[in-house]
Amino acid sequence: MNDPTPSPAASADDRRNAIIEATVESFGKLGYYGTSLQRIATEVGLTKAGVLHYVGSKEGLLDLALTETYDQQTVDIMAAMVTEERPLIAEMWRKVVAVNAARPALVHMFSTLSAEALDPAHPAHDYFARREHDTVANALNINWRVPDGVNVEHLLQAGFSMMDGLQLRWLRSPGRDLAAMWTDCEDALMPLPLWEGYR
């Protein structure tokens, strides 16, 4: 018996996912400027017009890769923690680390584009310029349980910056455990005994 013909919706989702996968790999290796729409089209077996049907433009491809694909899981983690009573900052970071440890190609893409977008003319420059501020601002909506006297905003800024740097070290060291590497960062960010019971 032949397999049933996939529905148009399923087929469209498959094509879109294939475009995202090819984009993540190409942006990671070649950056935005080194990636052409034709390259993505060839990778997924579509015409350039076919790719544009799903993403609108090359900038749309960039937005899809960063905002929807890379950021969405972190946004979901924070959204879930907003509903918790006095959650732990350490737990949020561990969840983000677990997500990123499972998606090295996306982390590679993010890191490549982050460096490339130091150029003010880069289409992702504004995204990266505001990303840290927006991420910290979102995290400040959560009613964290922290030791007395801790400046939560400064801690969040330091932690997210440390995570970006750590991910570069991890990418340069294939096979290393990102969660274990992050544990060392936790010890520096939230030292004991001050953070006893808050980690």
Side-chain angles (χ1 to χ4, degrees):
M1 183 173 171
N2 291 333
D3 290 333
T5 302
S7 70
S11 184
D13 285 345
D14 288 345
R15 285 196 193 99
R16 191 169 185 270
N17 290 336
I19 290 168
I20 291 170
E21 190 174 324
T23 299
V24 166
E25 183 177 350
S26 189
F27 280 174
K29 291 179 179 176
L30 304 173
Y32 177 81
Y33 292 128
T35 297
S36 67
L37 284 169
Q38 185 58 60
R39 178 187 176 87
I40 302 302
T42 301
E43 283 285 317
V44 299
L46 292 172
T47 63
K48 192 160 81 169
V51 172
L52 288 171
H53 170 74
Y54 290 95
V55 301
S57 65
K58 190 177 176 186
E59 289 79 5
L61 201 61
L62 185 66
D63 185 63
L64 180 67
L66 286 171
T67 306
E68 184 174 329
T69 307
Y70 186 81
D71 283 338
Q72 192 56 55
Q73 285 180 284
T74 304
V75 169
D76 290 346
I77 288 169
M78 287 195 198
M81 297 190 94
V82 167
T83 66
E84 295 180 24
E85 185 179 345
R86 309 291 284 169
L88 301 176
I89 292 176
E91 186 61 27
M92 173 194 67
W93 278 327
R94 287 175 199 147
K95 287 178 178 179
V96 172
V97 166
V99 163
N100 287 341
R103 54 182 198 168
L106 267 169
V107 175
H108 187 181
M109 177 201 74
F110 177 86
S111 301
T112 298
L113 292 175
S114 176
E116 192 181 56
L118 290 171
D119 174 9
H122 193 284
H125 177 79
D126 289 346
Y127 162 88
F128 282 103
R130 68 175 183 267
R131 186 178 186 276
E132 181 181 320
H133 171 270
D134 291 351
T135 303
V136 171
N138 287 338
L140 285 171
N141 290 322
I142 300 169
N143 189 25
W144 300 111
R145 181 156 63 93
V146 298
D148 290 341
V150 168
N151 185 318
V152 174
E153 183 174 2
H154 289 175
L155 178 73
L156 290 166
Q157 287 171 339
F160 284 121
S161 296
M162 192 176 285
M163 189 171 294
D164 284 350
L166 182 71
Q167 287 174 172
L168 288 174
R169 283 179 49 211
W170 176 61
L171 291 170
R172 292 189 199 106
S173 313
R176 289 196 65 186
D177 183 342
L178 183 60
M181 295 171 75
W182 177 251
T183 298
D184 292 339
C185 296
E186 264 190 25
D187 290 340
L189 282 166
M190 294 172 281
L192 301 175
L194 176 64
W195 284 83
E196 190 71 52
Y198 295 91
R199 287 173 48 180

